[in-house]
């Protein structure tokens, strides 16, 4: 996917990406590790109303199994949280970069993006609003996407390790 296509993908899916971010953040906040007691209760078939099963031949190994299970579950949970946080951070970074690139555009180009991508208007409506032909609008849109893609590439170059302070020292 070339950078202009990627920028267009971000513009088209900006609202959905923001919604996914909110959902991921909610999932991260709601993640709670189970305690050993909760795992033991589950493994001993304890009912939610605090009633124990009437007859049980439960092994004394259940507490140690529960602790091992807890450690494995906790490790997986931490790994999942790390992965979700990486996705959140990467998505937020891309949306911030997109917003910064849009902020540097001339007003007319921002208006075109706003109408086409954020307000969902079609080319004919936007062309009429701006008093230009649809082909001119397509050219403006393409040029605008190229400007944003160029901004993205310049930001990438400036953020590369060769340009960082650690690399120079």
């Amino acid at each position: 996917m070339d950078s202009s296509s990627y920028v267009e993908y971000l513009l088209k899916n900006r609202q959905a990406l923001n919604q996914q971010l909110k959902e991921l953040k909610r999932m991260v906040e709601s993640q709670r590790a189970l305690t050993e007691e909760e795992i033991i209760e589950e493994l001993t078939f304890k009912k939610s109303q605090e009633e124990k099963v009437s007859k049980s031949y439960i092994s004394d190994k259940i507490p140690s199994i529960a602790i091992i299970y807890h450690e494995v579950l906790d490790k997986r949970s931490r790994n999942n949280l790390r992965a979700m946080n990486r996705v959140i951070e990467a998505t937020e970074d891309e949306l911030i970069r997109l917003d910064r690139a849009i902020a540097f555009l001339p007003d007319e180009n921002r208006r075109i993006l706003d109408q086409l991508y954020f307000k969902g208007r079609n080319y004919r409506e936007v062309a009429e609003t701006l008093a230009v032909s649809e082909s001119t609008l397509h050219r403006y849109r393409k040029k605008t996407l190229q400007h944003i893609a160029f901004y993205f590439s310049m930001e990438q170059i400036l953020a590369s390790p060769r340009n960082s302070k650690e690399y120079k020292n």
Side-chain angles (χ1 to χ4, degrees):
M1 177 185 290
D2 71 340
S3 51
S4 289
S5 299
Y6 179 64
V7 167
E8 188 166 28
Y9 162 80
L10 287 175
L11 289 166
K12 285 181 178 178
N13 297 293
R14 186 178 185 197
Q15 188 174 5
L17 290 169
N18 277 319
Q19 193 61 37
Q20 288 174 349
L21 271 174
K22 287 179 186 174
E23 185 59 34
L24 272 173
K25 286 178 180 180
R26 237 182 276 124
M27 287 171 63
V28 166
E29 288 173 10
S30 69
Q31 287 281 329
R32 181 180 68 80
L34 293 174
T35 65
E36 284 88 357
E37 292 80 20
E38 290 171 325
I39 294 171
I40 291 170
E41 286 177 5
E42 290 297 319
L43 289 174
T44 57
F45 309 107
K46 189 172 184 180
K47 293 183 181 176
S48 61
Q49 291 85 20
E50 301 296 326
E51 298 173 16
K52 292 208 179 217
V53 177
S54 58
K55 286 188 176 181
S56 177
Y57 300 101
I58 296 170
S59 167
D60 289 338
K61 293 181 181 179
I62 286 189
S64 60
I65 292 170
I67 291 170
I68 292 168
Y69 180 75
H70 179 267
E71 290 169 359
V72 170
L73 193 62
D74 194 40
K75 183 177 178 181
R76 281 189 182 166
S77 177
R78 282 193 312 270
N79 289 340
N80 286 340
L81 283 173
R82 272 196 294 272
M84 283 191 285
N85 282 323
R86 279 194 302 269
V87 169
I88 288 169
E89 187 177 309
T91 305
E92 284 178 335
D93 287 348
E94 288 302 281
L95 291 174
I96 288 169
R97 287 175 65 202
L98 180 65
D99 289 341
R100 273 196 306 248
I102 291 170
F104 281 107
L105 293 172
D107 289 341
E108 181 141 327
N109 297 75
R110 277 196 304 248
R111 216 173 15 256
I112 290 169
L113 291 180
D114 183 54
Q115 296 291 315
L116 289 174
Y117 294 102
F118 308 141
K119 292 186 178 163
R121 296 180 70 197
N122 63 39
Y123 281 92
R124 185 180 48 74
E125 294 171 331
V126 177
E128 287 174 6
T129 302
L130 299 174
V132 297
S133 69
E134 285 186 46
S135 62
T136 301
L137 180 62
H138 279 281
R139 273 197 326 273
Y140 286 167
R141 180 195 61 83
K142 185 176 180 180
K143 199 73 154 161
T144 301
L145 294 178
Q146 289 171 343
H147 284 300
I148 294 173
F150 178 74
Y151 179 86
F152 266 49
S153 64
M154 291 308 294
E155 246 195 9
Q156 190 114 18
I157 290 169
L158 293 173
S160 72
R162 284 183 281 168
N163 293 322
S164 71
K165 289 180 182 176
E166 299 88 34
Y167 187 78
K168 291 178 181 177
N169 291 335

